[in-house]
Amino acid sequence: MAVPFALVGLDHGVLSVSDVVAVKAFYQSVLGCTVERERCDIGLYQLRVGRSLIDLVTVDGKLGAAGGTAPASNGRNMDHFAIAIDPFDEDAIR
């Protein structure tokens, strides 16, 4: 079956975090990520990783509260990842 789009790459990954300051510091100082956008009002912090983004969502923020429990020693903090496609034609995809 032919698909009506091409895969471009990883658009973004979303991580649920309890300590956004520490996580941002790690990704910026160790990996060299840069801040793309911050929406403190909803608990969203986007970091640029080349052509992709890492979205940090605080577990106590508006977005994080909708996503479930905080990461734990036996839990995971990966919320989701999104693949970039081109062209994006919602009707054709559906």
Side-chain angles (χ1 to χ4, degrees):
M1 178 171 94
V3 293
F5 54 82
L7 299 178
V8 176
L10 183 64
D11 183 74
H12 68 276
V14 179
L15 302 176
S16 299
V17 299
S18 298
D19 186 348
V20 71
V21 173
V23 175
K24 272 178 42 181
F26 169 79
Y27 280 103
Q28 289 180 285
S29 65
V30 176
L31 299 180
C33 297
T34 57
V35 174
E36 181 78 9
R37 179 170 68 146
E38 292 188 345
R39 290 280 315 270
C40 303
D41 58 317
I42 60 172
L44 171 66
Y45 303 83
Q46 290 184 318
L47 302 175
R48 173 67 54 189
V49 184
R51 294 184 306 194
S52 303
L53 295 169
I54 297 173
D55 291 356
L56 305 176
V57 174
T58 58
V59 295
D60 58 351
K62 184 175 182 178
L63 291 178
T69 60
S73 61
N74 62 348
R76 306 289 185 258
N77 70 331
M78 177 65 150
D79 182 273
H80 73 271
F81 68 91
I83 298 171
I85 60 171
D86 187 47
F88 183 83
D89 181 340
E90 185 175 352
D91 290 334
I93 293 169
R94 287 183 184 275

